[in-house]
Amino acid sequence: MALRIETGLTAPSGFIEDVFAIDKDTYSPELCGKIENLYKRYDVCPDSFILVYDGDTLAGYLNVFPISDGLYRQLNAPDFFGMRDDDIEPEEMDAWRKDKPNELFIISVAIIPRYRKGEAIKLIGNGFLDFLRKKDAEGYKIGSIAGSAISAGGEKFLQRFGGKFIKKLEDGYKYYLADGESVGGVIENGLIL
């Protein structure tokens, strides 16, 4: 069966439970969040998921959303080395805005192990690029894309969107940021290979 992309707006009902199942299989217990937090963030930003399906099976997903000015400042403060993840509260998110650039945070990219060597990661990357292009065309300019990488695959994913290594976080994780110019280049020219 061919893989296909869905979003949080088009996915089958119950997909949050499938996302949580992938999280439990992919992340260590200390990095696996709580399902109620997934729901809280989804309620604020329902288009925050890019999902890859193989038939009825969720093969992987990306979760990204605009963040508040306060969270953006915290993440980029030179003396902040914590990793923000499942503890991000809905009030630290922002609505999509046309009056200012949208600062995006990728909270997670996770793929079921048997799909990692195939097309799933390419589909997620291309699905996210299409999403960014659509938002840009609708007047929602992207100011930056940030994320904390916990694996070499996560680092590579962030780099493909123009992310540059900014700092090492507690527990050895790495924080990446793609500024507006880098993101604009990716939107115009495609992913960085």
Side-chain angles (χ1 to χ4, degrees), residues 1-13:
M1 199 169 262
L3 298 177
R4 73 180 192 285
I5 288 283
E6 298 286 347
T7 71
L9 299 174
T10 64
S13 65

PDB file of all heavy atoms in Angstrom, residues 1-13:
ATOM      1  N   MET A   1       0.840  -1.185   0.000  1.00  0.00           N
ATOM      2  CA  MET A   1       0.000   0.000   0.000  1.00  0.00           C
ATOM      3  C   MET A   1       0.884   1.246   0.000  1.00  0.00           C
ATOM      4  O   MET A   1       1.921   1.283   0.646  1.00  0.00           O
ATOM      5  CB  MET A   1      -0.887  -0.038   1.247  1.00  0.00           C
ATOM      6  CG  MET A   1      -2.084   0.858   1.159  1.00  0.00           C
ATOM      7  SD  MET A   1      -3.252   0.540   2.493  1.00  0.00           S
ATOM      8  CE  MET A   1      -4.390  -0.504   1.605  1.00  0.00           C
ATOM      9  N   ALA A   2       0.471   2.274  -0.699  1.00  0.00           N
ATOM     10  CA  ALA A   2       1.258   3.505  -0.796  1.00  0.00           C
ATOM     11  C   ALA A   2       1.076   4.350   0.458  1.00  0.00           C
ATOM     12  O   ALA A   2      -0.013   4.424   1.030  1.00  0.00           O
ATOM     13  CB  ALA A   2       0.819   4.298  -2.024  1.00  0.00           C
ATOM     14  N   LEU A   3       2.159   4.987   0.863  1.00  0.00           N
ATOM     15  CA  LEU A   3       2.108   5.897   1.997  1.00  0.00           C
ATOM     16  C   LEU A   3       1.406   7.184   1.570  1.00  0.00           C
ATOM     17  O   LEU A   3       1.480   7.587   0.419  1.00  0.00           O
ATOM     18  CB  LEU A   3       3.515   6.219   2.487  1.00  0.00           C
ATOM     19  CG  LEU A   3       4.341   5.049   3.012  1.00  0.00           C
ATOM     20  CD1 LEU A   3       5.740   5.520   3.384  1.00  0.00           C
ATOM     21  CD2 LEU A   3       3.671   4.395   4.202  1.00  0.00           C
ATOM     22  N   ARG A   4       0.739   7.814   2.516  1.00  0.00           N
ATOM     23  CA  ARG A   4       0.053   9.072   2.227  1.00  0.00           C
ATOM     24  C   ARG A   4       0.197  10.026   3.411  1.00  0.00           C
ATOM     25  O   ARG A   4       0.405   9.596   4.537  1.00  0.00           O
ATOM     26  CB  ARG A   4      -1.420   8.848   1.907  1.00  0.00           C
ATOM     27  CG  ARG A   4      -2.261   8.502   3.113  1.00  0.00           C
ATOM     28  CD  ARG A   4      -3.731   8.290   2.778  1.00  0.00           C
ATOM     29  NE  ARG A   4      -4.551   8.231   3.968  1.00  0.00           N
ATOM     30  CZ  ARG A   4      -4.619   7.203   4.791  1.00  0.00           C
ATOM     31  NH1 ARG A   4      -3.919   6.106   4.546  1.00  0.00           N
ATOM     32  NH2 ARG A   4      -5.401   7.239   5.860  1.00  0.00           N
ATOM     33  N   ILE A   5       0.069  11.307   3.122  1.00  0.00           N
ATOM     34  CA  ILE A   5       0.142  12.361   4.139  1.00  0.00           C
ATOM     35  C   ILE A   5      -1.273  12.777   4.544  1.00  0.00           C
ATOM     36  O   ILE A   5      -2.150  12.922   3.697  1.00  0.00           O
ATOM     37  CB  ILE A   5       0.883  13.590   3.583  1.00  0.00           C
ATOM     38  CG1 ILE A   5       2.373  13.307   3.450  1.00  0.00           C
ATOM     39  CG2 ILE A   5       0.669  14.819   4.451  1.00  0.00           C
ATOM     40  CD1 ILE A   5       3.140  13.336   4.736  1.00  0.00           C
ATOM     41  N   GLU A   6      -1.443  12.978   5.836  1.00  0.00           N
ATOM     42  CA  GLU A   6      -2.642  13.595   6.398  1.00  0.00           C
ATOM     43  C   GLU A   6      -2.155  14.707   7.322  1.00  0.00           C
ATOM     44  O   GLU A   6      -0.964  14.783   7.644  1.00  0.00           O
ATOM     45  CB  GLU A   6      -3.476  12.587   7.205  1.00  0.00           C
ATOM     46  CG  GLU A   6      -4.005  11.410   6.418  1.00  0.00           C
ATOM     47  CD  GLU A   6      -5.163  11.747   5.495  1.00  0.00           C
ATOM     48  OE1 GLU A   6      -5.744  12.840   5.621  1.00  0.00           O
ATOM     49  OE2 GLU A   6      -5.477  10.913   4.633  1.00  0.00           O
ATOM     50  N   THR A   7      -3.073  15.549   7.757  1.00  0.00           N
ATOM     51  CA  THR A   7      -2.736  16.572   8.752  1.00  0.00           C
ATOM     52  C   THR A   7      -3.655  16.376   9.949  1.00  0.00           C
ATOM     53  O   THR A   7      -4.578  15.556   9.911  1.00  0.00           O
ATOM     54  CB  THR A   7      -2.931  17.992   8.193  1.00  0.00           C
ATOM     55  OG1 THR A   7      -4.335  18.242   8.049  1.00  0.00           O
ATOM     56  CG2 THR A   7      -2.209  18.192   6.875  1.00  0.00           C
ATOM     57  N   GLY A   8      -3.416  17.169  10.969  1.00  0.00           N
ATOM     58  CA  GLY A   8      -4.303  17.117  12.126  1.00  0.00           C
ATOM     59  C   GLY A   8      -5.732  17.496  11.787  1.00  0.00           C
ATOM     60  O   GLY A   8      -6.650  17.197  12.533  1.00  0.00           O
ATOM     61  N   LEU A   9      -5.921  18.150  10.635  1.00  0.00           N
ATOM     62  CA  LEU A   9      -7.269  18.537  10.206  1.00  0.00           C
ATOM     63  C   LEU A   9      -7.957  17.454   9.388  1.00  0.00           C
ATOM     64  O   LEU A   9      -9.180  17.446   9.274  1.00  0.00           O
ATOM     65  CB  LEU A   9      -7.204  19.828   9.380  1.00  0.00           C
ATOM     66  CG  LEU A   9      -6.650  21.056  10.108  1.00  0.00           C
ATOM     67  CD1 LEU A   9      -6.498  22.227   9.135  1.00  0.00           C
ATOM     68  CD2 LEU A   9      -7.529  21.436  11.278  1.00  0.00           C
ATOM     69  N   THR A  10      -7.177  16.546   8.787  1.00  0.00           N
ATOM     70  CA  THR A  10      -7.760  15.536   7.898  1.00  0.00           C
ATOM     71  C   THR A  10      -7.593  14.101   8.411  1.00  0.00           C
ATOM     72  O   THR A  10      -8.123  13.183   7.807  1.00  0.00           O
ATOM     73  CB  THR A  10      -7.131  15.618   6.495  1.00  0.00           C
ATOM     74  OG1 THR A  10      -5.736  15.304   6.578  1.00  0.00           O
ATOM     75  CG2 THR A  10      -7.316  16.999   5.881  1.00  0.00           C
ATOM     76  N   ALA A  11      -6.858  13.926   9.484  1.00  0.00           N
ATOM     77  CA  ALA A  11      -6.556  12.578   9.991  1.00  0.00           C
ATOM     78  C   ALA A  11      -7.807  11.908  10.553  1.00  0.00           C
ATOM     79  O   ALA A  11      -8.753  12.583  10.973  1.00  0.00           O
ATOM     80  CB  ALA A  11      -5.489  12.660  11.079  1.00  0.00           C
ATOM     81  N   PRO A  12      -7.810  10.565  10.553  1.00  0.00           N
ATOM     82  CA  PRO A  12      -8.946   9.851  11.139  1.00  0.00           C
ATOM     83  C   PRO A  12      -9.089  10.165  12.625  1.00  0.00           C
ATOM     84  O   PRO A  12      -8.105  10.461  13.302  1.00  0.00           O
ATOM     85  CB  PRO A  12      -8.595   8.373  10.942  1.00  0.00           C
ATOM     86  CG  PRO A  12      -7.377   8.319  10.105  1.00  0.00           C
ATOM     87  CD  PRO A  12      -6.780   9.681  10.042  1.00  0.00           C
ATOM     88  N   SER A  13     -10.309  10.101  13.118  1.00  0.00           N
ATOM     89  CA  SER A  13     -10.511  10.331  14.554  1.00  0.00           C
ATOM     90  C   SER A  13      -9.708   9.290  15.339  1.00  0.00           C
ATOM     91  O   SER A  13      -9.503   8.171  14.869  1.00  0.00           O
ATOM     92  CB  SER A  13     -11.996  10.256  14.913  1.00  0.00           C
ATOM     93  OG  SER A  13     -12.476   8.957  14.699  1.00  0.00           O
TER      94      SER A  13
END
